[in-house]
Amino acid sequence: MNRQTLPLGRKRLAKSLFIGTALLLSSCLLSIGVEWISRGSLWETLAWIRRNTSIYALNALISGSALILFYSLIGSVFLAVGAAAVLLSVMAFINYYKSMLVGEPFFPWDIILNKEGMDVGPLFTGAQDLLKLAVILAALGGLIYLHRKLKSRLMVSWISRGILGAVSLAVLLSFGLQVSWAKERVAKAGVDDTIWSQQANYDSNGLLLAFTLNVQNAQVPEPEDYSADKMASLAQGLTADTFGEAIPAFNQTDGKEPAAPQKRPNVVFIMSEAFWDPTRLSNVSFSADPVPTLHQLQQSYPSGTMLSPQFGGGTSNVEFEVLTGLSMSFMPAGSVPYLQYVNGSVPSLASYFETKGYRSLGIHTYDGWFWNREGVYKELGFEGFKSKDGFINPEYNGLYISDNEIADSIIHEIDQSDDPVFIYAVTMQNHAPYTDKNRYPSGNTFKVEGDLTEEARDMLETYAQGAHYADQALKRLVEHFAQSDEPTYIVFYGDHLPTLGLEYDLYRQAGFVQSGKPADWSLTEYKSLRSIPFVTWSNFAAPEEQQVNTISASFMGSYVLDTLGMKPEGQFALGSKLYRSVPGLIRNLTVDPSGALSHTVPAGSEELVEQYRLLQYDILFGDNYLSRFVDAPFLTKEPMANYNTLAAAVKEEE
């Protein structure tokens, strides 16, 4: 053997060993760092590793695969480690803050949000966060120094890097798509893919593994019992029921008996951003009632509690439930139907009312791209959608367009239309954050007393001020239509409770919940943080309304159709049955007609809930069997060819 080949071979071997050791060690350290950031505690991270060594190894395998993929592209071990550290650290910080703010971890589909993604920069205020950031920056500085010093000694061929990159990509895809060998490794490690409780999933399995396993949850699997025969049987049960078709009587003001209106009433849904009743916080008091209109209407008109599938965010999911009559309970936790599943025509309240001779319009005082509403509203059968761009010189109050602009827009649309109008309006004025006590030009006129920190008190006063403005916009609508000869029905509610501090801080200080960790909550506490007040109002004498104490957002459409004496069809017909049998149905919680709470479906309602699950799959992902067996034109209604053309014409005229 040539003497010169031995040293060269040894050099290559030494270089390979160094690169391999560096990548292996870096993978292990990256996994620890990710969990440290994500969990907020290094000691908690180390304790998790001791309890779950095999699961930690899988997290290290995923971080290592990502690292090797970067190495194959960059060609420098040190720069690859730096790039992987930045990417994984950003993921961990987003996961940490998202979990603290809204009780949900970071999901693969959150990446689709683009502009709607979380900006965690302003949240870096604590000493622990600054320490983590300092460690990351110091490590990056060291890596850049090593790259400059050792770059020429650690170069390898692009062929070798290409092979490594292909293998690492295959590993990542295998775990994401759950191919057989990866599924076996996951099972042997004792992983419990708890999709029904994603926070528990991430806590048990680690951020990287839980995030990767969630890739497969972007698609909803077909139920085993889904078939044409099953849907035919379900449809037969729906069409066998009879529902009233009476048109409500208009409430005259001259003392005469109410007379039937000449046309169907306008129907207005108002989903007020983060609207909630802050006076429900028992350990605090307000200098004045911030929501007097809500309380007045609750005393005089049918009202109750709407059970929301969300807390602190995810407005579009609440909107999806109300408009479609479908439930987030049957979808992967953390999914966003507007971004993932509405890829074609989906029957909704908008298409239902269109088939009944109504015009349908969506209104929102924010950007049309937000949650992809502009495209989704078309697929839901709306005639038009008016976003922020549709408002000419709108009034702002604080950070966003005022709720009064929404009220005025609703009034304008109804007053100028010859046909009855269905409107779904979504406000923006009271959107988070609430940390700036000088947010509103008028200042905070509601003072809070109670055992709260100054920061929490300022936050609650700012929130109460915003809730008051929303309450006054509702009053503006009621007062207008009380004097109008246009029969109009209004249902008003919020989308979710507001985020008031990390780890539910204000709610804990006010005694609303005892812990900042959802896993520790009782069913009553869980329900409290999902319970939104709703009120209805009409300027005519509606048929006797079915009074409910609690109703899920997905059943609100059925409830309103029943109230108006209009025949519920398709999923709304099934919803009409469901809210009488299981009025509250969200993930991890059901409420029976007596108000009893449970994690499981009430006895006797299991078959009905299973039908609901099958119907939802059929509409969103299946073969639309229901539309073949039920005579309901809205089930097959295509998006309107003139979508948004009328709204554009109005804007040009203005």
Side-chain angles (χ1 to χ4, degrees), residues 50-105:
R50 284 196 300 270
R51 295 191 307 269
N52 305 279
T53 307
S54 297
I55 293 177
Y56 163 71
L58 289 180
N59 279 267
L61 176 60
I62 292 171
S63 66
S65 298
L67 173 56
I68 292 172
L69 186 59
F70 274 111
Y71 173 62
S72 70
L73 296 172
I74 298 173
S76 166
V77 173
F78 304 112
L79 292 186
V81 172
V86 170
L87 173 66
L88 298 181
S89 296
V90 169
M91 286 181 60
F93 275 117
I94 291 175
N95 183 69
Y96 175 75
Y97 281 110
K98 189 181 176 201
S99 297
M100 293 302 100
L101 289 169
V102 300
E104 288 186 347

Side-chain angles (χ1 to χ4, degrees), residues 25-42 44-46 48-49 55-56 58-64 66-67 70 81-97 99 106 129 132 135-136 202-203 205-212:
L25 183 60
S26 297
S27 301
C28 296
L29 291 175
L30 279 174
S31 298
I32 295 173
V34 164
E35 290 302 316
W36 176 27
I37 296 172
S38 183
R39 294 171 186 272
S41 166
L42 180 58
E44 184 180 332
T45 297
L46 296 177
W48 169 77
I49 292 173
I55 293 177
Y56 163 71
L58 289 180
N59 279 267
L61 176 60
I62 292 171
S63 66
L67 173 56
F70 274 111
V81 172
V86 170
L87 173 66
L88 298 181
S89 296
V90 169
M91 286 181 60
F93 275 117
I94 291 175
N95 183 69
Y96 175 75
Y97 281 110
S99 297
F106 181 47
D129 293 335
K132 295 168 191 173
V135 170
I136 294 170
Y202 279 60
D203 287 345
N205 301 323
L207 168 60
L208 298 180
L209 180 59
F211 182 91
T212 305

Side-chain angles (χ1 to χ4, degrees), residues 267 269 323 349-350 353 358-361 382 420-424:
V267 180
F269 282 67
L323 281 170
L349 285 174
F353 278 102
Y358 279 70
R359 291 183 56 221
S360 61
L361 179 68
F382 277 90
V421 184
F422 165 70
I423 293 177
Y424 196 90

Side-chain angles (χ1 to χ4, degrees), residues 107 134 161 166 238 271 286 293 307 322 344-345 351 372 385 428 481 483 541 637:
F107 298 112
R161 298 204 322 265
L238 293 181
M271 188 169 73
F286 294 83
T293 307
L307 210 55
V322 175
S345 179
S351 51
N372 192 31
F385 171 55
M428 190 68 179
F481 288 110
Q483 304 300 319
K637 194 175 187 305

Side-chain angles (χ1 to χ4, degrees), residues 359 386 412-413 416 645-654:
R359 291 183 56 221
K386 180 179 180 180
H412 170 75
E413 292 295 336
Q416 61 89 39
T645 56
L646 295 178
V650 170
K651 183 177 178 181
E652 287 180 5
E653 289 176 6
E654 294 178 348

Side-chain angles (χ1 to χ4, degrees), residues 28 45 49 77 112 177 203 326 403 440 451 463 498 588 610:
C28 296
T45 297
I49 292 173
V77 173
I112 306 173
L177 301 177
D203 287 345
L326 305 177
D403 286 358
Y440 296 107
D451 188 15
Y463 173 77
N588 300 331
E610 176 60 17

